[in-house]
Structure formats: C-alpha cells, structure tokens
Amino acid sequence: KASLTEAQNARSEGFYGTGGLRKTAPMIRDFIASTAGGRTSTAFRNVQRECQKMTNYTKPKKIKDDGTATAAEKKASSKAETSFGSLLQNAKNILEVIKTVPGYAPSNPSLTVEGFGQFIANLEQLNETVARLKHEFDVAVERRAALYEGANGLRVRIRMTKDYIGGNYGKSSNEY
C-alpha cells in the first residue's frame, strides 16, 4: 500500500504540481501566443482548448459504498484513473500541435518539442506504475478477503470451532 500511495503522489505531482502538466501546458500556450500568428492562430486555439479541458476538470468526489454496490460496480475503473488518462491525452494533443508550429523554439528546455515529449513519456510511465501497483494491491485484497470470507476461510472455521465447543461442553460452560 505504501508504494502505491507513493506512486499516486508522484503522479499527482506530475499532473498537478508546480512543474506539472497543468502548469506547463499554459506556458506552451502563452509561448505560441508570442509567435507569429499569436492568439489568432489555429495552433493557439487548439492548445487553448486542451488547456481549458485540463483546468475545467475537477477530481470526482469519492462515493461512499453503502453496501448496495455490486461486485462489478466495485471493480469498475475509478473516475480518477480515467481522468489521468484524459489529461495525458490532452498533453499528447498539445504535443502534436506544437510539432506543427513553424519556428516553435522556446528557451525553456522543458517546453521544447523534445522536452515536452519526454515529460509526457514520464507521465505515461507514472500512470503505468500506478496501474500496475493498483492491480497488485487489488489482487492482494481479494486474496485476503478469500482467507477470511472464503468457503474454508477464517470466519467459517471460527463458527465451526464455536459449534464444536458448544456441542461438547455446552454454551454456558467456561470453555465456550
């Protein structure tokens, strides 16, 4: 659980942190605004649209399980995981746009086509790491649940033991 939490925190920092995607994308947009064509160019409008998609997004609130959710609903992909994929796709769309902008050469190395491409690759790696660790965690939780709740799990064994003791010594005995 600790490594999953660390990976999720690193991913959040990559998307929402001070040097994250939601800060870097507007910097790219602003650089495009300073080039020929400026704010009226198609590239600017496309990057602006992707930036708006990123900034208008709010993380979904965690819904408390009241016990009525089915197993399929519990296993469904979380909206938060989907949103990171959407933000990543927005970044890829921006990368495709800046590849076509003539004379796009910012002085900030993280805003160049190569630098932003590497940044996206790092975000993809963080997403993959979180997905892998989350899967491993979910499998471990299922195994643990089977040990407690399964056909021959701990809960069944405790009930059998209590029944055995109650049958041999009586339910009002000290042994029970």
Side-chain angles (χ1 to χ4, degrees), residues 14 18-52 54-55 87-121 123:
T18 55
L21 179 61
R22 285 183 64 174
K23 302 286 184 188
T24 305
M27 293 168 64
I28 291 172
R29 178 202 58 209
D30 294 341
F31 183 81
I32 292 173
S34 71
T35 61
R39 293 181 179 272
T40 60
S41 70
T42 304
F44 176 82
R45 285 193 305 270
N46 290 339
V47 173
Q48 173 68 7
R49 188 176 315 114
E50 298 299 330
C51 287
Q52 287 172 342
M54 283 189 248
T55 56
L87 291 171
L88 190 57
Q89 185 58 48
N90 294 133
K92 289 177 182 179
N93 294 344
I94 291 172
L95 181 62
E96 291 305 312
V97 170
I98 64 175
K99 285 179 181 177
T100 64
V101 174
Y104 181 81
S107 59
N108 184 342
S110 64
L111 302 181
T112 63
V113 172
E114 296 80 22
F116 193 60
Q118 182 59 42
F119 179 72
I120 291 172
L123 290 178

Side-chain angles (χ1 to χ4, degrees), residues 133-147:
L133 290 172
K134 186 169 180 356
H135 175 71
E136 291 172 3
F137 178 74
D138 290 344
V139 167
V141 168
E142 286 177 10
R143 275 195 233 134
R144 182 184 66 190
L147 290 173

